[in-house]
Amino acid sequence: SGDPNGEIFVRVGLSRVERRLGAFGPAREQAEEAVRLVEDMRAGLQGPLSRGSFLATRYDAYEELVALLMERGHAREALEVAERARARNLSEDLAEGSLSRAAGEGRGGGSDRKRTLQAELQAMDARRQSLAAGDPRDPRLRDLDAELRRKGIELDRLATVRAGLSGFRPLTAAGIQGLADEESVFLIYLLSEPASFAWTVDGAGVEPHLLPNGKRIDTLARRVVAAWSQKSQAATRDTAARAARELSQAILAPLRHRLKGRRRLVILADGALHLVPFAALPVPEASEPLLLDHEIVLLPSATFLDQQRRRLAGREPAPGEIAVLADPVFSPEDERLSRDGSQTARSSGGRGFDPGPLQRLPFTALEAEAILRLAPRKETFLAVGTDAHRDLVTSGALRRFRLLHFATHGLLHPVLPERSGIVLSQVDVQGRRREGFLSAPDVAGLDLPAEMVVLSACRTGLGREVRGEGLVGLTQAFFRAGARRVVVSHWSVQDRATAELMARFYRGLLGEGLSSAAALRAAQLSIRSEEKWSSPWFWAGFSLHGDWQ
């Protein structure tokens, strides 16, 4: 009928039938042809989100091929198929050499149509704020949200950088093994029906593991995150602990013998597992968290890590140590601009899609001071208050620093989560309004060759959930901008505890010479040891993504 999408659907179904009949050869032929068709169709789509969304809808082709390969004992081939579908947009960008080029989405670049769409999206965000502030159930929001989505898709399809398949070469099983050092083991997940799969990979070999069905794991993961992402009372802590034990039993117990003696767990998550801070998961059949014995590092894909290491191998280190942007001014009524301190309570909302006011985060200034005391003064840069503005980031001035630290509000876009970001100063020193929102697409178009970016703000690790791509948002945006590793948050973190966590993190990093993963682990263990901050809500909200070396 000339319908390739329908053909994919049919071939996946035929593969399942042949497999159930015991005909492995014909089943494999059907599944491999389905995957080939998926990739041909994906390559013909314009825009990374469109390509990612399409692959997500046809992910069952990869799942079927993995399932029949695993069923026949071909674990290494199955792992390679799973890797082939993981974080494709990000890996293809690296393969095409477009890491530091704007993809036509950042403000100030691209065609007139792109700039027009950016302005229209901003105006619609402002309109949305006005409506939602008056009535969150305003019926006009439905049509406005639909228009936001339509404009977002149009902007995505105007991307000037077309990632092709010619430069993309997914790693083989042997290549993934080559990335694992003696102290590390890779935990690679694929959620599917009726069973899920995992592989543990180290220099010695690849071992497959059978897990429960994907729907159960997805449900458990979301339940755990919902329980941990709020300040729990004693009555709810037992419920949270029980949910965490069930998830641990589902995704860690089948491979626990491979975790013994390992200092570092390198996790390639799938589905809702991207939302989970693995550091807080209990060791199977125990109550202590993984963090007690392991560093935790998250990766979008093994291929990404290999490409990133190759590309950044010859990069000269930046001359400066660290730049910190903290405690921005969100309102003209901020007490730092007005003698009448009582007006601070009237601080207004900052970004169009956020209906509520953005309150000052006073502990972020203390956080900044604590961090900068650990580095030589001549190698640091501090921007607070109105000096912590968006133009400072987009100007390129931060390129000369190895470490970038942002301590502010993070905002998750309610309609276009891939356009989430952080809020910097929204007024100048005279109290005049200025653009302060730095979105993920803005970041992706910058050149920020930092060794590490720390986003000490709420929900900076979230974004659009795209099967295979993971959470498309700030983390991937900073990778595209050139960062080697990124520290982001899973939920709305607590201001004071976060300030203390970050101070201890940098004490380990700059004062004791620990690696990023080891320093984060030490800081989280330290916070957890204090009774008032023992809940995972206080200490487990941040994770390290990217290269741990």
Side-chain angles (χ1 to χ4, degrees):
S1 66
D3 174 16
N5 194 41
E7 183 178 345
I8 293 167
F9 178 84
V10 171
R11 288 190 182 278
V12 170
L14 288 172
S15 176
R16 290 172 179 160
V17 171
E18 298 284 15
R19 180 158 56 94
R20 292 176 185 176
L21 292 172
F24 173 73
R28 181 167 182 168
E29 289 176 6
Q30 296 286 5
E32 288 178 341
E33 180 63 13
V35 168
R36 186 192 67 77
L37 287 167
V38 169
E39 300 199 340
D40 283 351
M41 288 190 67
R42 178 186 177 278
L45 297 174
Q46 180 71 29
L49 278 174
S50 296
R51 291 193 296 271
S53 296
F54 170 73
L55 190 145
T57 64
R58 292 270 63 100
Y59 212 77
D60 55 347
Y62 295 92
E63 292 176 357
E64 170 61 17
L65 185 52
V66 167
L68 70 89
L69 288 170
M70 291 287 279
E71 194 172 288
R72 300 291 293 186
H74 302 306
R76 297 175 71 89
E77 288 184 76
L79 171 61
E80 291 169 356
V81 172
E83 176 66 19
R84 184 173 164 185
R86 189 182 294 273
R88 285 293 294 271
N89 283 331
L90 186 58
S91 293
E92 287 172 354
D93 274 359
L94 288 170
E96 294 292 321
S98 60
L99 183 68
S100 61
R101 288 181 293 169
E105 294 182 71
R107 291 190 182 94
S111 68
D112 290 341
R113 181 55 185 159
K114 290 169 190 170
R115 288 191 290 270
T116 298
L117 283 170
Q118 289 282 10
E120 290 175 351
L121 283 168
Q122 189 173 358
M124 284 190 285
D125 280 339
R127 172 65 172 160
R128 193 183 194 286
Q129 177 189 30
S130 177
L131 293 177
D135 179 6
R137 299 178 182 177
D138 191 311
R140 290 171 291 181
L141 286 172
R142 176 186 293 182
D143 290 340
L144 184 58
D145 289 353
E147 184 65 8
L148 272 167
R149 294 187 186 96
R150 191 184 69 78
K151 296 286 187 184
I153 291 171
E154 183 180 352
L155 184 62
D156 174 62
R157 290 176 177 171
L158 288 174
T160 56
V161 176
R162 256 311 276 288
L165 298 178
S166 59
F168 174 69
R169 296 291 183 271
L171 280 186
T172 63
I176 298 174
Q177 282 183 258
L179 295 175
D181 54 46
E182 293 182 357
E183 296 182 324
S184 303
V185 60
F186 282 62
L187 279 60
I188 303 174
Y189 291 95
L190 178 71
L191 306 189
S192 61
E193 305 297 330
S196 300
F197 305 100
W199 298 263
T200 48
V201 182
D202 60 12
V206 175
E207 185 171 333
H209 310 274
L210 187 66
L211 307 181
N213 68 78
K215 289 181 180 178
R216 171 166 172 74
I217 293 174
D218 185 281
T219 299
L220 289 174
R222 295 181 189 279
R223 188 181 301 164
V224 166
V225 173
W228 281 345
S229 60
Q230 54 188 323
K231 188 176 181 181
S232 60
Q233 304 299 319
T236 61
R237 288 180 184 173
D238 289 343
T239 301
R242 183 167 56 253
R245 285 195 301 271
E246 291 179 9
L247 181 60
S248 175
Q249 198 63 28
I251 66 172
L252 295 176
L255 42 91
R256 60 178 172 268
H257 63 284
R258 293 277 280 165
L259 310 184
K260 294 179 180 178
R262 307 287 184 168
R263 192 184 76 177
R264 185 180 303 108
L265 306 182
V266 182
I267 296 167
L268 283 69
D270 188 30
L273 293 181
H274 284 288
L275 303 169
V276 177
F278 275 72
L281 284 180
V283 176
E285 300 175 0
S287 59
E288 297 297 337
L290 282 178
L291 186 72
L292 205 63
D293 295 317
H294 303 284
E295 296 173 10
I296 307 294
V297 178
L298 302 178
L299 281 181
S301 74
T303 302
F304 159 77
L305 177 63
D306 179 65
Q307 291 171 320
Q308 187 192 51
R309 285 182 176 177
R310 292 175 187 275
R311 188 179 189 280
L312 303 184
R315 187 168 74 182
E316 290 292 327
E321 183 68 20
I322 183 169
V324 179
L325 283 73
D327 197 15
V329 177
F330 303 121
S331 165
E333 288 80 33
D334 190 291
E335 62 185 354
R336 289 168 287 180
L337 303 178
S338 169
R339 293 183 179 180
D340 183 4
S342 64
Q343 295 185 46
T344 54
R346 301 205 310 268
S347 60
S348 59
R351 185 58 179 163
F353 53 77
D354 184 52
L358 290 176
Q359 300 295 334
R360 182 184 177 184
L361 300 171
F363 285 101
T364 61
L366 300 176
E367 179 179 323
E369 293 172 6
I371 293 169
L372 293 181
R373 281 196 295 267
L374 296 166
R377 182 65 62 181
K378 63 180 181 179
E379 298 179 1
T380 65
F381 175 82
L382 174 64
V384 295
T386 55
D387 290 335
H389 54 79
R390 182 182 178 277
D391 291 346
L392 175 64
V393 183
T394 59
S395 69
L398 301 182
R399 296 185 71 256
R400 53 183 300 271
F401 295 96
R402 293 180 56 251
L403 308 175
L404 303 180
H405 185 93
F406 298 86
T408 181
H409 281 293
L411 293 181
L412 184 66
H413 199 295
V415 182
L416 303 173
E418 69 277 7
R419 302 188 67 80
S420 300
I422 57 175
V423 188
L424 298 173
S425 185
Q426 298 183 297
V427 297
D428 62 18
V429 69
Q430 282 82 36
R432 295 173 298 196
R433 290 285 183 183
R434 70 186 306 170
E435 174 61 32
F437 185 70
L438 186 70
S439 72
D442 294 336
V443 171
L446 299 177
D447 183 14
L448 290 174
E451 291 300 294
M452 182 172 68
V453 175
V454 178
L455 301 179
S456 180
C458 294
R459 301 186 292 178
T460 51
L462 303 184
R464 181 179 293 279
E465 291 186 48
V466 181
R467 186 71 194 283
E469 290 297 322
L471 298 173
V472 180
L474 282 168
T475 306
Q476 292 194 8
F478 275 102
F479 282 143
R480 285 183 165 91
R484 191 182 298 271
R485 57 190 68 89
V486 186
V487 175
V488 292
S489 60
H490 292 269
W491 50 65
S492 295
V493 292
Q494 202 265 352
D495 187 18
R496 184 172 182 179
T498 296
E500 188 61 34
L501 174 72
M502 290 300 166
R504 299 181 193 190
F505 169 55
Y506 282 99
R507 192 178 305 145
L509 187 72
L510 302 176
E512 302 172 22
L514 298 177
S515 68
S516 301
L520 181 59
R521 173 179 174 267
Q524 290 177 320
L525 286 173
S526 177
I527 292 293
R528 178 180 177 269
S529 68
E530 300 192 25
E531 179 61 30
K532 62 181 178 180
W533 289 331
S534 61
S535 167
W537 182 58
F538 292 106
W539 60 266
F542 287 91
S543 293
L544 175 70
H545 297 247
D547 194 350
W548 62 91
Q549 292 185 353

